[in-house]
Structure formats: structure tokens, C-alpha cells
Amino acid sequence: FTIILSLHLYIQILKLERKDFIKTILGAMAVTSLDPFFSWTKQLKNNDTIMPVLFIGHGSPMNGIEDNEFSRNWMKYGKEIPQPAAVLVVSAHWLTNGTYVTAMEKPKTIHDFGGFPKALFDVQYPANGSFEVAKETQKIITSTNVHLDHDWGLDHGTWTVVRHMYPNANIPVLQLSIDYNKPASYHYHLAKDLFQFRKKGVLIIGSGNMVHNLGMIAWDKLSADNYGFDWAIEMNSIFKDKIAKADHQALIEYQKLNKAATLAIPSPDHYFPLLYTLALQSENDEIEFFNDKAVGGSLTMTSVKIG
């Protein structure tokens, strides 16, 4: 293509005046620079296969390098779900003023934690990003202005999960931030705009935890299997019941569900990603729960596959 284009321009040089030649050069540059974007959007035309949506309880960053029940299920779904054209993650660990989407071609692996073994800090997940997907995200979200970000990367809410699902790092991965100044209803309605991506081969993942109270964790019970305080188990059951019944309004107004809701969700950062997932549910979608266990008394790993 480059050789043909060069010959074409050479012929035009012989025929055109200087000002006309400059116009031709600029036009060719515009076409070639936009070509990847048009190729990507053409590739993502609507099809009969609607991608599922996931809410992942990501838990401890150590799950990113451990071979355990949780990580094995992440790997399982990575194999079962049709290979996506891209992965878009709403992580509990990217809280912003406004809404942003990562737009760099090579997102860095962010080690946003402390006190863990060096092996965890040594992990690099070299998946590409995609400026084209970021622009498409910016385009389809109409409920607010989406800003392109070139500084963030992939935090542990994303890479600890996705590296098990796609260990070859051969699929573009992006993050969509959470505007922490906005209420639950705002995030739910914003996510509605993303439904188009389900029809275009993009896997959307909300990554957080339904029950997440680190201040009350029983550190001496972390190795116990499925250990949860009564209030954590109760709230987890309520969440699952509402999800199964598609009672999204009750989940948006989660403070009204039970007195224990304030213990399960002392701050909504890890809960909001669930709302992004639920907003993308259609009438015909089946619901599947997995990794449905409590950890350390005050945290649940319960995850949901929709579709």
C-alpha cells in the first residue's frame, strides 16, 4: 500500500502546483492516520453473538499470582467466553473527578498496594491498550463527557483478574474510571450507554466486591474456607436475591435494603462496579453466580456472569 501510495503521489507531483501538492500530502496523511480507527469500528459491527458481562469479586491482590479456586474460575471463564475484540474494565481502584477511559497504546501495570511479597510487585501484564476503542467508548457514552486518559494504566482491580483470563496478554485491555462524586443511580444509567459494546465483541467487566469492609476483617481467619460474619452472609444473600430477580432499583438504593448494608458497604467504591454490570443486563440474559464465598469475615468474592 505504501509503495502504491508513493507512486501515486509522485505522479501527482508532476501534475500539480505546489499548493495543490501540499493539499494532496495532507489528505493522504489524514486517510492513513484514521485507517486503524475505521478498521476497528468496521470489525466491531453488530452480530448475532452478544457478549456476556461479568462482575468479578477480585479480593486480595494475591489472587493475581495464586492458583486457587477464585483464579481457576477466572481462567475457566476466559476459555468459555467467546474471545473478545477488547476488554473494558470498571475497577474499584480508579476513582476520579469526572469520567475517564484509558487511551494509551501500552498501559502500565500499576502495583497500587503495599505489604505484599516482591513476587506480586514483579508482575507485569503487557496487554496493549487501544486508542481506537477509547475513542469509541467516548463516542457511545452520551450521558456525560468522557475524557481520554494517558497516565493511569491497569490497576490491580484489572490485571490480577484479566491475567488469569487471558494469560497471553493478546487482547486490548482498557479501564473506565468511576466518578466518585456521583451517586449510584448516575453510574447505573451511564453504564446503559455501553450496551452497544456487548453486540460488538467487547467484554465488559466490573471489578470490586459486593461485601467489602477491610476495617472489620478477621485477619486470623483469612485462611478459613468460606468464613463470613452473620451480617456479611445475610447481605450477600440479599444482594444475590435482588440480582436474580433483576430488582436493580433496590440495588441502586442499597442503603435501604438492611441495616447491615452500612457494614457491607462502608464506602461504595467496590460496590459501584456491580451496578455497571447490572445495567447491561437484557431481558433474555441468564444469571450465573460463581466464587460465592466469604473471606476473612467481612468480604465476599461472589461474582456474577450475565448472559
Side-chain angles (χ1 to χ4, degrees), residues 177-245:
S177 77
I178 296 172
D179 186 343
Y180 207 51
N181 298 311
K182 302 295 186 180
S185 58
Y186 171 88
H187 297 289
Y188 180 84
H189 292 296
L190 182 154
K192 290 283 189 183
D193 288 343
L194 294 171
F195 189 84
Q196 297 176 51
F197 270 163
R198 289 193 63 189
K199 298 185 288 184
K200 296 184 177 184
V202 176
L203 175 62
I204 300 173
I205 300 175
S207 178
N209 291 98
M210 291 188 200
V211 176
H212 185 268
N213 191 330
L214 293 183
M216 296 186 67
I217 224 167
W219 298 103
D220 60 332
K221 300 291 186 180
L222 284 177
S223 60
D225 184 55
N226 199 21
Y227 178 79
F229 298 133
D230 290 344
W231 58 264
I233 295 172
E234 178 184 11
M235 284 308 306
N236 198 62
S237 295
I238 292 173
F239 290 147
K240 287 168 56 183
D241 178 66
K242 298 300 182 183
I243 292 169
K245 294 177 179 176

Side-chain angles (χ1 to χ4, degrees), residues 36-305:
F37 176 72
F38 288 122
S39 297
W40 188 85
T41 52
K42 184 178 180 181
Q43 172 189 343
L44 292 189
K45 50 190 174 183
N46 292 349
N47 53 58
D48 295 332
T49 301
I50 297 182
M51 290 294 288
V53 191
L54 298 176
F55 171 75
I56 301 289
H58 64 247
S60 167
M62 288 300 293
N63 291 320
I65 59 174
E66 290 180 346
D67 176 19
N68 57 34
E69 176 182 359
F70 308 130
S71 63
R72 285 193 292 272
N73 276 328
W74 298 340
M75 186 179 298
K76 169 180 171 284
Y77 281 101
K79 293 176 179 178
E80 291 181 356
I81 291 172
Q83 181 166 312
V87 178
L88 179 65
V89 183
V90 180
S91 167
H93 296 280
W94 193 20
L95 309 176
T96 54
N97 181 17
T99 300
Y100 293 78
V101 62
T102 54
M104 69 287 290
E105 289 296 329
K106 298 288 183 180
K108 61 187 175 184
T109 303
I110 303 173
H111 302 91
D112 49 335
F113 41 71
F116 290 95
K118 183 177 182 297
L120 191 60
F121 290 90
D122 288 342
V123 173
Q124 296 294 318
Y125 185 65
N128 288 335
S130 173
F131 180 75
E132 292 77 27
V133 180
K135 288 291 291 183
E136 188 76 359
T137 305
Q138 189 180 46
K139 175 183 175 182
I140 68 173
I141 294 178
T142 59
S143 59
T144 190
N145 291 325
V146 177
H147 309 284
L148 300 182
D149 176 86
H150 297 274
D151 299 317
W152 188 246
L154 306 179
D155 60 50
H156 83 266
T158 295
W159 66 260
T160 59
V161 174
V162 178
R163 76 183 298 260
H164 286 292
M165 296 182 69
Y166 305 109
N168 294 326
N170 58 340
I171 296 171
V173 181
L174 300 87
Q175 285 195 205
L176 183 69
S177 77
I178 296 172
D179 186 343
Y180 207 51
N181 298 311
K182 302 295 186 180
S185 58
Y186 171 88
H187 297 289
Y188 180 84
H189 292 296
L190 182 154
K192 290 283 189 183
D193 288 343
L194 294 171
F195 189 84
Q196 297 176 51
F197 270 163
R198 289 193 63 189
K199 298 185 288 184
K200 296 184 177 184
V202 176
L203 175 62
I204 300 173
I205 300 175
S207 178
N209 291 98
M210 291 188 200
V211 176
H212 185 268
N213 191 330
L214 293 183
M216 296 186 67
I217 224 167
W219 298 103
D220 60 332
K221 300 291 186 180
L222 284 177
S223 60
D225 184 55
N226 199 21
Y227 178 79
F229 298 133
D230 290 344
W231 58 264
I233 295 172
E234 178 184 11
M235 284 308 306
N236 198 62
S237 295
I238 292 173
F239 290 147
K240 287 168 56 183
D241 178 66
K242 298 300 182 183
I243 292 169
K245 294 177 179 176
D247 188 357
H248 295 176
Q249 191 58 40
L251 292 162
I252 291 171
E253 300 175 348
Y254 62 90
Q255 301 97 328
K256 300 178 182 180
L257 285 174
N258 191 297
K259 290 182 179 179
T262 57
L263 295 176
I265 311 172
S267 61
D269 45 294
H270 277 68
Y271 182 79
F272 281 163
L274 173 64
L275 298 181
Y276 279 80
T277 299
L278 296 179
L280 294 166
Q281 181 179 356
S282 67
E283 291 183 2
N284 298 323
D285 283 328
E286 295 183 357
I287 300 293
E288 181 178 337
F289 296 102
F290 61 100
N291 287 350
D292 188 18
K293 289 192 172 181
V295 175
S298 62
L299 185 148
T300 61
M301 295 292 291
T302 305
S303 304
V304 189
K305 175 178 176 283

